[in-house]
Amino acid sequence: MTKKRILSGMRPTGKLHIGHLVGALDNWIKLQDDYESYHLIADYHVLTTRLETKNIYNDSIEMLIDWLACGLDPIKSPMFRQSQIKEHTELHLIFSMLITVNRLERNPTVKDQIRDLHIEHVIYGHLGYPVLQAADILLYKGGAVPVGEDQVPHVEISREIARKFNNQYGVVFPEPEPLLTKFARLQGLDGNAKMSKSLNNTILLSDEPAIIKAKIKKAVTDPNKIRKGDPGDPDICLIFSYHKKFISAEVLEINAACRSGALGCVDCKMKCASKISELLNPIIEKRHYYEQKLNEVTDILLDGEKRARNTAQVTMNEVREKMKLG
Ligand code: TRP
């Protein structure tokens, strides 16, 4: 039986953080056995909010190393840069004829981005990036797309475009379903609802134990718990939210000891830091391996790109044939 295909992607922002692990990668790793997975490095998507490209290759390689270090298997799943498969731009152009400007302007995720980044003049490619994303997904006939909540509107646009194409020219594409990553976002070290590189509030997957300790030491906790002995409220504590995520075995005790005052914030933070380091240890070891073997990393990328290109070309041939553009 052939496995259902999934397409997942991330913008290359350089080294990844623990929010990426719990929010996406853990899920991708689980899915790679049951599905035929394609893992896309969305380097063109970076241009929608940043024209500067001098670090784009390095950022892509750093991200790829993190993917590999976390356990994505390059034999099972091709990993590739969007910019190296020309079919993405070709299909994007065709898809851009199948959707209205009005529809794109209603996309809540794009609207939020424009608001949060204070973008006054929206470029054409920014408004249209969900159309490029539809091409990313449908070139590989992705039937499912593992994403967080914010990407669901984009997958919906992919479905609409697939339907429109199939009705107009004949059936080529599946209508992809989002595979929701259930996990709510990991808070940033500053208490912000989102851990994000641009907010500078992250723990990187590549952070060594001493760095993790130092970062966690500075993190905010319950402001009413000033010294050990004061009762704290774990429900409003950032560190407790990490405990819940990373050390399920002891959370009940930590909860009780914080409330009673028996556990002070410093001890609690050190417990949290060592748990996270312990978890990242195998990832860091694998990262060191790949850092020493950059040739192996580029070979993995080139092989992924070859395999992705083959699949993409098969789809594009079908598209051209259906459209009488052959
Ligand atoms: N838009 C996604 C993001 O900003 C990245 C992305 C590009 C993507 N193409 C994709 C995600 C295809 C899933 C499928 O994070």
Side-chain angles (χ1 to χ4, degrees):
M1 200 186 81
T2 53
K3 289 181 180 171
K4 195 167 169 183
R5 281 221 190 121
I6 61 176
L7 182 292
S8 45
M10 263 186 213
R11 296 177 184 221
T13 50
K15 291 181 174 165
L16 300 180
H17 54 69
I18 56 175
H20 291 117
L21 181 66
V22 297
L25 282 173
D26 271 346
N27 200 22
W28 292 14
I29 290 158
K30 271 189 227 125
L31 294 167
Q32 65 181 346
D33 291 321
D34 296 332
Y35 291 85
E36 185 185 347
S37 306
Y38 282 77
H39 297 301
L40 169 103
I41 300 173
D43 51 359
Y44 274 146
H45 272 91
V46 173
L47 293 169
T48 60
T49 50
R50 192 181 67 211
L51 293 177
E52 170 64 68
T53 50
K54 72 174 186 309
N55 293 329
I56 205 154
Y57 178 76
N58 270 347
D59 284 348
S60 300
I61 294 291
E62 291 289 4
M63 183 167 85
L64 177 60
I65 291 178
D66 278 331
W67 283 3
L68 295 167
C70 286
L72 282 187
D73 181 345
I75 309 239
K76 286 186 197 141
S77 324
M79 301 172 201
F80 56 99
R81 288 165 295 164
Q82 182 184 40
S83 66
Q84 300 309 300
I85 318 292
K86 298 216 172 20
E87 287 73 11
H88 286 254
T89 51
E90 209 178 336
L91 192 59
H92 168 250
L93 177 102
I94 293 168
F95 282 177
S96 73
M97 311 299 170
L98 303 180
I99 187 145
T100 66
V101 172
N102 208 283
R103 173 67 183 88
L104 293 173
E105 282 172 344
R106 288 203 317 267
N107 185 309
T109 300
V110 176
K111 276 201 213 159
D112 286 353
Q113 234 176 23
I114 290 168
R115 190 199 53 218
D116 295 347
L117 299 173
H118 311 289
I119 298 171
E120 235 179 287
H121 302 289
V122 180
I123 55 169
Y124 170 58
H126 191 177
L127 183 67
Y129 87 71
V131 184
L132 178 58
Q133 185 158 344
D136 297 341
I137 297 166
L138 295 172
L139 254 188
Y140 304 93
K141 301 195 178 179
V145 192
V147 284
E149 203 81 60
D150 64 319
Q151 299 289 308
V152 171
H154 303 341
V155 180
E156 182 55 36
I157 284 177
S158 301
R159 296 168 61 79
E160 288 172 26
I161 290 177
R163 207 174 303 142
K164 176 90 185 171
F165 183 99
N166 291 344
N167 285 338
Q168 183 75 34
Y169 300 110
V171 177
V172 173
F173 299 112
E175 291 184 23
E177 302 279 351
L179 268 182
L180 263 188
T181 310
K182 281 185 268 9
F183 179 67
R185 277 205 171 121
L186 202 62
Q187 273 179 273
L189 283 165
D190 55 357
N192 194 297
K194 187 178 165 199
M195 182 172 279
S196 145
K197 187 176 181 185
S198 58
L199 297 171
N200 201 13
N201 63 6
T202 66
I203 294 176
L204 298 179
L205 296 177
S206 45
D207 280 343
E208 302 284 345
I211 297 186
I212 296 181
K213 254 192 199 165
K215 283 184 172 177
I216 293 232
K217 226 179 202 163
K218 281 193 272 172
V220 285
T221 52
D222 175 359
N224 291 321
K225 183 171 167 71
I226 295 160
R227 56 184 69 81
K228 185 171 173 181
D230 294 345
D233 181 0
D235 293 336
I236 60 162
C237 180
L238 160 77
I239 298 297
F240 188 68
S241 76
Y242 292 174
H243 279 307
K244 274 197 291 200
K245 192 64 215 167
F246 299 111
I247 48 172
S248 44
E250 278 175 76
V251 272
L252 290 178
E253 289 117 82
I254 293 173
N255 188 334
C258 171
R259 286 183 195 282
S260 74
L263 179 64
C265 290
V266 177
D267 290 344
C268 178
K269 281 177 165 179
M270 288 309 102
K271 213 188 236 308
C272 181
S274 19
K275 191 66 202 185
I276 293 176
S277 296
E278 201 180 293
L279 200 91
L280 296 186
N281 201 23
I283 298 177
I284 290 182
E285 258 174 45
K286 264 183 114 176
R287 173 173 250 286
H288 289 327
Y289 168 85
Y290 284 112
E291 282 169 350
Q292 306 302 315
K293 303 233 165 166
L294 281 178
N295 279 346
E296 204 173 303
V297 177
T298 39
D299 284 350
I300 286 172
L301 191 59
L302 293 179
D303 173 67
E305 286 169 0
K306 206 161 116 196
R307 287 154 68 196
R309 194 173 295 117
N310 279 340
T311 306
Q313 282 174 349
V314 171
T315 307
M316 262 329 284
N317 286 342
E318 273 182 70
V319 166
R320 289 179 156 279
E321 195 185 308
K322 289 274 198 258
M323 292 181 78
K324 314 282 180 242
L325 291 170

